[in-house]
Amino acid sequence: MCESAINGKMPCVIVDCAIYRDGRRTEGPADFSDALDEARAAGDSFLWVGLHEPTEEEFDLITSEFNLHPLAVEDALKAHQRPKLEIYNGSLFLVLKPVTYDDDADTVTTGELMLFVGDSFVVTVRHGEGSPLAQVRQRLEQEREVLRHGPTSVLYAVCDAVVDHYIEVAGELQMDLEELEAEVFAPLGGDTRNTASRIYSFKRQVLEFRRATAPLAEPMTRLAGAGVPFVPERSQPFFRDVNDHLMRANESVEGLDRLLSDILSAHLAQMGVQQNDDMRKISAWAAMAAVPTMIAGVYGMNFDHMPELRQPWGYPAVVVVMVALVFWLHRMFKRRGWL
């Protein structure tokens, strides 16, 4: 349905389009305008249009049919927006940033998801990968009681799916961070340069994650409160639940960031201790080498009247003295932990 409304100009960007009446998906007019009029006339219906990375020309029809605000349209087309909630005449505009985590590459990737919610319609615009929209639509179509709440049900379900996935990603990051922590504090640390690089890389991924979760706190708080159009009072408890989950996700991200900073500080301290230990060992070996060098230097002087010069036991005695002094220095450095 709905794809023929644009005479083949935009079918590639339309992911799905349907009218939901009394919690059920129904077929309706192929034209956006007629479908929206039918949904509004029925009273218990709404139109849900899903788009994927539309261009400005492809989005023009949506803009005119649903009377979307040009500033919101500009944000939806350009993407690269922070999570936010904007209220315009006739519509509500919400930006979300879904997150995916590649465990093999240890990388966090964020997409963008925009929702326009208005009188009897929802328009979702997706940029990038990792969007939960397909699963959300399938799940909602199995839950008629939720769909009966109208466009707000879609808004809630999408927010809930995105935030719940935040918690899953935070758990995966926590597991990988525990492995990194064990590597840092292992008795044999291995390649310290590689460890430091991994810590910095991990910290960048957590920062990317925080950019998705932290700015969403203010929009969720507003949706959970009163005074937001198209969000009836009976729907506010659902958004309060999403807000609670988001607080948990943000707390997890903050904890990951603090733990990473502690691990990095501990790693740098370990490197400093290791360097000091290496310097002590180098100094100890240099001191032991200095004793025979000094004695050998004395006996290398070019003059005849040198004590013990022609004594047959002179050379072995000096060697024994050098070995004894080096052995004594080695024992002393060993007791003090320098070697």
Side-chain angles (χ1 to χ4, degrees):
M1 169 194 155
C2 295
E3 291 186 7
S4 61
I6 46 181
N7 300 320
K9 294 181 181 179
M10 197 172 58
C12 60
V13 302
I14 296 180
V15 179
D16 203 348
C17 177
I19 291 178
Y20 294 88
R21 178 178 291 111
D22 190 32
R24 292 181 182 274
R25 180 177 179 133
T26 63
E27 297 299 324
D31 183 82
F32 282 142
S33 181
D34 293 340
L36 184 59
D37 290 341
E38 180 179 316
R40 286 173 174 170
D44 60 348
S45 305
F46 69 93
L47 175 65
W48 182 359
V49 181
L51 306 174
H52 178 232
E53 297 183 355
T55 63
E56 184 175 354
E57 293 76 14
E58 292 168 334
F59 205 67
D60 282 344
L61 181 62
I62 299 291
T63 302
S64 59
E65 293 291 349
F66 294 94
N67 193 28
L68 303 179
H69 196 280
L71 292 178
V73 171
E74 181 181 359
D75 289 343
L77 293 175
K78 290 186 176 180
H80 303 293
Q81 305 294 319
R82 285 167 54 89
K84 63 179 180 178
L85 175 66
E86 300 286 352
I87 300 173
Y88 299 101
N89 291 331
S91 65
L92 189 72
F93 179 61
L94 177 66
V95 178
L96 301 169
K97 296 182 78 68
V99 169
T100 56
Y101 180 58
D102 186 345
D103 187 60
D104 295 330
D106 292 337
T107 56
V108 172
T109 305
T110 58
E112 290 194 38
L113 185 56
M114 288 83 166
L115 293 92
F116 295 88
V117 180
D119 181 14
S120 302
F121 74 86
V122 178
V123 177
T124 54
V125 182
R126 176 169 63 90
H127 291 268
E129 302 301 324
S131 172
L133 284 179
Q135 295 84 351
V136 169
R137 190 184 286 261
Q138 293 173 4
R139 187 173 70 250
L140 277 176
E141 289 177 355
Q142 303 299 320
E143 300 176 359
R144 291 186 58 192
E145 291 301 320
V146 178
L147 271 176
R148 284 186 176 133
H149 286 76
T152 310
S153 64
V154 178
L155 182 64
Y156 157 72
V158 172
C159 292
D160 186 57
V162 170
V163 171
D164 282 350
H165 193 60
Y166 286 164
I167 297 176
E168 295 176 9
V169 171
E172 295 175 0
L173 286 169
Q174 181 67 42
M175 292 177 60
D176 285 354
L177 184 56
E178 290 174 358
E179 295 177 2
L180 182 60
E181 184 180 20
E183 177 183 326
V184 170
F185 292 103
L188 297 177
D191 189 352
T192 57
R193 290 176 299 178
N194 184 54
T195 300
S197 176
R198 285 190 61 195
I199 295 173
Y200 276 113
S201 176
F202 209 104
K203 198 168 182 63
R204 289 182 64 86
Q205 303 311 313
V206 172
L207 177 61
E208 183 70 17
F209 191 16
R210 176 188 282 177
R211 288 173 179 165
T213 62
L216 189 58
E218 190 269 340
M220 284 297 105
T221 301
R222 291 176 63 189
L223 288 172
V228 178
F230 310 110
V231 180
E233 184 177 353
R234 61 178 181 172
S235 301
Q236 292 170 10
F238 295 96
F239 289 102
R240 284 198 290 269
D241 181 67
V242 176
N243 195 31
D244 289 341
H245 291 182
L246 180 62
M247 291 175 63
R248 286 175 50 196
N250 279 323
E251 289 172 358
S252 297
V253 174
E254 291 293 334
L256 288 171
D257 188 61
R258 287 195 300 269
L259 185 55
L260 269 171
S261 297
D262 293 342
I263 291 175
L264 181 59
S265 298
H267 177 65
L268 294 177
Q270 279 185 328
M271 292 181 64
V273 170
Q274 182 65 43
Q275 289 174 352
N276 290 337
D277 189 51
D278 292 341
M279 289 301 298
R280 287 200 303 267
K281 291 180 180 179
I282 293 172
S283 300
W285 286 110
M288 288 187 290
V291 171
T293 300
M294 179 186 66
I295 297 175
V298 171
Y299 277 87
M301 295 180 181
N302 295 320
F303 55 88
D304 292 332
H305 301 288
M306 188 176 198
E308 308 164 358
L309 185 63
R310 292 184 174 83
Q311 297 294 331
W313 49 265
Y315 176 75
V318 170
V319 171
V320 170
V321 170
M322 288 191 293
V323 172
L325 288 174
V326 171
F327 180 74
W328 176 76
L329 288 172
H330 185 275
R331 290 291 302 274
M332 183 182 67
F333 290 140
K334 193 76 172 178
R335 284 198 303 271
R336 294 186 179 182
W338 284 37
L339 293 174

